[in-house]
Amino acid sequence: MTPHVEPDPQAGAAVKAADRAHVFHSWSAQGLIDPLAVAGAEGSYFWDYDGNRYLDFTSGLVYTNIGYQHPKVVAAIQEQAGKLATFAPAFAVDVRSEAARLIAERTPGDLDKIFFTNGGAEAVENAVRMARLHTGRTKVLSAYRSYHGATSTAINLTGDPRRWASDNGSAGVVRFWAPFLYRSPFYATTEAEESARALQHLEDTIAFEGPATIAAIILETVPGTAGIMTPPPGYLAGVREICDKYGIVFILDEVMAGFGRTGKWFAAEHFDVVPDLMTFAKGVNSGYVPLGGVAINAEIAATFDKRPYPGGLTYSGHPLACAAAVATINVMADEKVVENAAHIGENVLGPGLRELAERHPSVGEVRGTGVFWALDLVKNKETREPLVPYNAAGEANAPMAALGAAAKKNGLWPFINMNRTHAVPACNVSEAEVKEGLAALDAALSVADEHTA
Ligand SMILES: Cc1ncc(COP(=O)(O)O)c(C=O)c1O
């Protein structure tokens, strides 16, 4: 894969200058960032105006599950734009109906009604609103190690430090510790212990908060940005039981884990659990046009059969986004993209990362499945002290910054969060691309190794 365009540093400089003058970027101190000007992308690669090409091990923000510029999805968007570029949400529109049908066909259990949003945070907002109206209760329980989005309710549900600046009393939100054996909050030494103690902790939290005040528990099926911690066997089934016992709505957030990322259409399938509500976005159409949504079970859907649902969006079920979803889901099925993600995880990426862990003193743990992997980097494998402190910035974060720079120098665009690098390529990544990425990671980890003790 080579860039289709000749390097054009002058054009790149103009793009960068207008960006710096007028674009206000997410999550950033505007004066301290230096965004790369991107000239193009295809499949698992993108390139800049200077002719540098990068293998994208981030899938954008973990959403380009079919890679960049898939010709069939691009054509479907073009065709839809020529036919009916937009239409209001109150009408039945062919691609909207078809997208909802294809999604409902794949969601577990009786999650058969789809409310479309423009992205993940809006999906979480609406799932919580549905749960509150359905139960008549207000509190929602979420995990400390979590990310659920940046709108007001979603950011309050979020556990990671992106919440802190917008944490206005966490209206109606109570956080708890979900299982994470490598850094166990429960001093557990086995998965069975971690699962049992985490469930006990959750039930104790519910008891002290008052079960009758709790509308919902929201969990990422496999927490993503927080560190890709696959829950131990029995945990999610246990949460399902607790929810049933107390009449609490169980929301699984599959915005990042859904649509093939873990090697199944939805991560919930690994655990044989069916939530009451499930949020999705990102991989539903690989983000070619913004789309998210809530999959709703029969009981909660029935709450709004005769009573209006008090929520909506001008662009709910936007035809361009839905056409992209229909094409993406069909491409994923026809090209066996989910099966590829599972194969890559099991036979190439997982073993390759474990092999790196054996040789690099900075890799404390490798965890994941499919194309959803984290390397937990440490100063010392025995003590498990993180390579950089939680939420480190500036000089304190220098080891991770150095790792990132080394990866880029070797042609790999890495996902870095705190003391972790995540390997989250497209679900249709090839074996050769993964091997290329592993070689670049190998070189970058040698830089991280210099900071171990
Ligand atoms: C699990 C999860 N939920 C919700 C969101 C928010 O999605 P969006 O950025 O589309 O609003 C994200 C984004 O990364 C996510 O990973």
Side-chain angles (χ1 to χ4, degrees):
M1 172 76 46
T2 46
H4 296 314
V5 287
E6 288 301 311
D8 188 351
Q10 229 180 336
V15 170
K16 185 73 160 284
D19 177 283
R20 297 297 50 231
H22 302 295
V23 178
F24 194 92
H25 285 262
S26 313
W27 306 116
S28 302
Q30 304 300 311
L32 300 180
I33 54 173
D34 183 25
L36 182 77
V38 173
E42 195 176 312
S44 294
Y45 294 90
F46 64 89
W47 48 89
D48 65 17
Y49 286 88
D50 295 326
N52 299 308
R53 189 194 69 158
Y54 297 97
L55 173 64
D56 186 357
F57 252 35
T58 72
S59 298
L61 281 175
V62 203
Y63 69 85
T64 51
N65 289 10
I66 55 163
Y68 294 103
Q69 297 297 109
H70 193 292
K72 286 192 175 156
V73 179
V74 171
I77 297 166
Q78 286 169 336
E79 195 185 315
Q80 186 63 37
K83 190 175 147 199
L84 186 68
T86 191
F87 217 85
F91 295 82
V93 175
D94 55 2
V95 278
R96 187 181 293 148
S97 306
E98 180 62 358
R101 189 186 72 78
L102 288 174
I103 295 165
E105 215 171 72
R106 285 167 173 79
T107 49
D110 64 343
L111 297 165
D112 287 336
K113 286 264 170 79
I114 308 298
F115 177 73
F116 283 115
T117 65
N118 302 302
E122 284 176 355
V124 169
E125 293 278 332
N126 281 282
V128 167
R129 182 176 300 165
M130 286 172 194
R132 284 178 169 155
L133 291 165
H134 179 71
T135 57
R137 305 171 179 175
T138 50
K139 274 184 210 160
V140 183
L141 268 55
S142 65
Y144 275 106
R145 294 188 194 273
S146 68
Y147 180 70
H148 294 292
T151 52
S152 129
T153 300
I155 199 69
N156 270 293
L157 288 165
T158 290
D160 85 20
R162 283 175 285 182
R163 180 188 82 250
W164 297 347
S166 310
D167 199 3
N168 307 318
S170 293
V173 175
V174 175
R175 266 166 297 272
F176 62 96
W177 293 100
F180 178 20
L181 184 59
Y182 185 67
R183 301 193 180 284
S184 173
F186 309 110
Y187 304 98
T189 53
T190 65
E191 287 208 311
E193 251 176 28
E194 183 73 358
S195 181
R197 291 178 190 182
L199 286 168
Q200 187 61 52
H201 160 69
L202 177 58
E203 201 157 1
D204 290 347
T205 306
I206 290 167
F208 278 73
E209 286 294 331
T213 68
I214 299 166
I217 294 173
I218 184 167
L219 282 169
E220 293 170 73
T221 313
V222 177
T225 316
I228 313 187
M229 294 86 76
T230 302
Y235 180 71
L236 290 176
V239 177
R240 173 73 274 178
E241 265 176 44
I242 289 173
C243 285
D244 289 342
K245 183 167 161 190
Y246 297 110
I248 294 169
V249 171
F250 188 15
I251 305 172
L252 279 179
D253 183 345
E254 293 239 1
V255 166
M256 190 176 279
F259 287 96
R261 178 83 12 219
T262 66
K264 302 261 190 206
W265 279 96
F266 292 100
E269 291 169 46
H270 291 284
F271 309 99
D272 225 1
V273 296
V274 181
D276 301 304
L277 297 169
M278 192 162 85
T279 54
F280 63 87
K282 297 189 188 263
V284 63
N285 64 6
S286 269
Y288 282 29
V289 183
L291 184 69
V294 187
I296 308 160
N297 77 0
E299 192 190 329
I300 297 177
T303 295
F304 303 105
D305 265 351
K306 298 282 183 315
R307 163 186 178 191
Y309 174 62
L313 300 152
T314 298
Y315 304 135
S316 177
H318 194 284
L320 284 185
C322 287
V326 169
T328 298
I329 293 168
N330 287 332
V331 158
M332 289 178 79
D334 294 347
E335 298 177 10
K336 302 209 178 315
V337 170
V338 181
E339 291 85 342
N340 185 66
H343 159 71
I344 288 286
E346 217 170 293
N347 302 309
V348 192
L349 190 50
L353 292 171
R354 282 190 206 103
E355 193 273 326
L356 290 182
E358 274 168 29
R359 284 191 289 108
H360 289 280
S362 59
V363 181
E365 188 181 53
V366 175
R367 49 179 184 264
T369 175
V371 284
F372 204 28
W373 292 85
L375 300 186
D376 205 306
L377 304 185
V378 292
K379 279 198 174 139
N380 181 295
K381 287 199 200 220
E382 289 299 310
T383 65
R384 300 186 182 182
E385 183 186 350
L387 191 68
V388 297
Y390 190 73
N391 206 31
E395 205 35 50
N397 196 43
M400 293 308 292
L403 172 115
K408 288 173 192 172
K409 210 172 119 218
N410 286 288
L412 179 77
W413 200 266
F415 182 106
I416 291 181
N417 184 275
M418 302 201 190
N419 69 314
R420 287 169 274 108
T421 182
H422 293 184
V424 284
C427 298
N428 59 355
V429 70
S430 71
E431 291 188 17
E433 288 165 349
V434 169
K435 283 177 185 158
E436 181 187 323
L438 287 167
L441 256 186
D442 192 1
L445 286 169
S446 300
V447 174
D449 291 343
E450 289 167 22
H451 301 272
T452 57

